[in-house]
Amino acid sequence: MCLQDGTYAESRKVSVFAHGLSGHGSVPPGEFKDGNHTSLKINDETGPWLYDSATDNFEYARTVGNRFTSFQHAPMAYDSSSDGIYSLGATELFIYSVQLNKVFRRALPSELHRRRDYGAAVDPGNRTLVIFGGVSPTQWQYLKTERGLPDSEFQKHVKKDTWLYRLEDDTWEKLTQSVQPPRGYPGSDFIKYTMVYEPRNGNILLRVTPIEDVTYDRSKWPRAETWTFNAYSREWKK
């Protein structure tokens, strides 16, 4: 499977992967094509897949009811307070309950539709999912390709906004802040933000390259920066 995203579920001590698509020589599960037993219809199993590193074993979750709809470059975040995994789809928020083995879907604000390569982490103490930046509507539109947009479109499509999702009441809020991290260069050659919750100080950490405009020569990229976000004070600090 190609273009997988994943996270670690502490409750079951497994890594959870989803969103991938077949390709590059892989043969996904499928079914007979049009009832003909000599021909197979390819059907991607987009997850979740559970990987136990202690036993080196993969298990297809076979969720009850809803399933993940594949959406490439969609990072996942684990919440220890609810034992849930959160990930953005094209127009929906996917919530996977590890213990119930169920996928729940919630509507997304229109500004987050088709958002990819974003940073995602959950503050379990404040019961809040934090989404930062990313690219919309596709991850390649600012690169020099025949289908791409001109470099002048970079800042329009590569975001540096912060969104909060309250787990308890299913509400979204876009923060307006004077201090915020740089937009970085997400989506270029599969680059994503590194964003995690740090339980010792209760902050969310973000690692990002301080870039605001198109910079194709990576030898000219500045050193990456570490930013912290506190869900209680709702502030970013470098």
Side-chain angles (χ1 to χ4, degrees):
M1 301 291 281
C2 182
L3 305 178
Q4 289 272 341
D5 278 283
T7 188
Y8 185 74
E10 180 65 31
S11 62
R12 285 198 55 185
K13 309 295 183 186
V14 294
S15 298
V16 181
F17 300 96
H19 292 308
L21 287 174
S22 61
H24 306 291
S26 64
V27 182
E31 58 188 18
F32 293 130
K33 184 177 181 180
D34 300 326
N36 182 355
H37 70 279
T38 64
S39 179
L40 287 178
K41 175 183 177 181
I42 294 177
N43 183 32
D44 283 308
E45 298 291 357
T46 57
W49 291 85
L50 312 179
Y51 176 66
D52 186 338
S53 60
T55 61
D56 190 25
N57 181 61
F58 272 98
E59 174 190 356
Y60 178 50
R62 301 184 186 277
T63 56
V64 178
N66 287 327
R67 301 171 61 190
F68 269 94
T69 300
S70 183
F71 190 67
Q72 298 87 356
H73 306 283
M76 305 166 70
Y78 175 70
D79 170 38
S80 60
S81 68
S82 64
D83 198 32
I85 292 173
Y86 296 78
S87 183
L88 305 189
T91 60
E92 298 173 302
L93 172 68
F94 289 99
I95 307 170
Y96 172 57
S97 171
V98 180
Q99 293 299 326
L100 298 178
N101 195 32
K102 286 187 175 182
V103 174
F104 302 91
R105 299 168 182 246
R106 300 289 185 268
L108 282 176
S110 59
E111 288 186 67
L112 288 176
H113 286 186
R114 305 196 64 79
R115 183 72 64 97
R116 305 175 190 260
D117 299 303
Y118 49 85
V122 176
D123 180 337
N126 287 285
R127 305 274 291 146
T128 302
L129 167 67
V130 181
I131 300 292
F132 173 76
V135 183
S136 179
T138 67
Q139 71 271 27
W140 304 119
Q141 72 272 35
Y142 56 89
L143 299 181
K144 289 184 176 178
T145 65
E146 293 180 358
R147 294 183 299 170
L149 296 175
D151 293 351
S152 60
E153 295 287 310
F154 179 84
Q155 292 192 3
K156 178 180 178 181
H157 294 277
V158 181
K159 315 295 183 179
K160 60 174 183 178
D161 48 0
T162 302
W163 291 80
L164 305 183
Y165 174 73
R166 286 178 50 85
L167 278 55
E168 294 181 347
D169 54 14
D170 184 35
T171 56
W172 285 94
E173 179 184 3
K174 182 181 180 180
L175 297 187
T176 56
Q177 301 163 302
S178 58
V179 177
Q180 57 189 354
R183 65 189 76 237
Y185 216 76
S188 173
D189 196 19
F190 301 98
I191 292 175
K192 296 183 176 72
Y193 304 105
T194 300
M195 193 161 156
V196 297
Y197 175 70
E198 170 50 64
R200 289 176 295 182
N201 55 32
N203 288 330
I204 288 173
L205 305 181
L206 168 69
R207 191 73 172 163
V208 60
T209 303
I211 292 176
E212 291 291 346
D213 293 295
V214 175
T215 308
Y216 292 107
D217 185 353
R218 297 192 183 186
S219 67
K220 297 181 180 179
W221 286 14
R223 290 177 178 270
E225 300 175 345
T226 299
W227 287 70
T228 64
F229 180 79
N230 186 278
Y232 180 76
S233 64
R234 302 149 65 90
E235 294 179 335
W236 284 103
K237 291 183 180 180
K238 181 179 172 181

